[in-house]
Amino acid sequence: MEKLRIAVQKSGRLSEDSLKLLKECGIGVPNGNNQLKINAENFDAEILFLRDDDIPEYVQDGVADIGFVGENVAIEKNKVTEIIERLGYGKCRLSIALPKSKKRKKIKDLDGIKIATSYPFILSKWLKQNKIKAEIHEISGSVEIAPRIGLADAICDLVSSGSTLFSNELYEFETILKSEAVLISGKNLSKKRKELLDKLLFRIRSVRKAKYNKYVLLNAPNESIDKICAYLPGINSPTIVPLAQKGWSSIHSVIGENDFWNVIEKLKTAGAQGILILPIEKIIE
């Protein structure tokens, strides 16, 4: 029986978050005692644990059907794969950083400098797009030390909090790529594996949509229902249930995380009482 072969980074934060997402999708990944391949539980899939840099090539070559990987890695490796879903975690940015002693005001000031990076493909493409002639020095490991030892004038590296730059007396000059975890796929999945992938994507989207929404229940006098419902579009429309107390109803709906506090304030002003907010585990549409 064919199984969907899923590549996951074998260690690190991206690995933890990817396995957590699979679990939230009802897919069990047993502890494999450092095994490189494990059969998933409750889903026809195999989990392959790989180095993140190897995942795009394994997916391109058909060893894995899909892979959880950072967008920066997927782009840098430039393999024949397709980003089929953005996952919303593992967010970071690829930026050019300069020594604090070398202040530059505009991008064109990068002309003629030497930049150390582990991302030569992405950096080269960005320099070309911006018509900047700079020398790229490819390096692996501790890129941020390059300016201090005279290896380069600047670096291009991943930035999250910025603390590493600060400790090495660097400042973030320009962001050239915003990255997050993505799901990539190969081009030649069989019919069965494509069906399994569609099922997995359905689960992932249901879980992710739930994370960005809250379920709201409230009581309101009937004369306020129209005004309150104007603030509660929900998935289709709010649910209204008459209460035992005459002239009152209970209203149920869904609020997006980004609009949450603004909507709640409007609901209270419109006459809502006893507002109850609940997390949503999954949203099935």
Side-chain angles (χ1 to χ4, degrees), residues 99-138:
K100 292 180 179 178
S101 59
K102 300 289 180 68
K103 294 291 184 181
R104 288 176 168 83
K105 295 182 179 180
K106 53 186 185 293
I107 291 175
K108 261 299 179 182
D109 291 340
L110 299 176
D111 261 330
I113 72 170
K114 182 185 291 186
I115 306 174
T117 187
S118 299
Y119 296 90
F121 177 80
I122 297 175
L123 177 57
S124 177
K125 187 176 180 180
W126 183 86
L127 291 172
K128 185 176 180 180
Q129 288 173 344
N130 288 275
K131 299 179 180 178
I132 297 169
K133 294 181 179 179
E135 181 182 346
I136 297 175
H137 187 92
E138 186 175 355

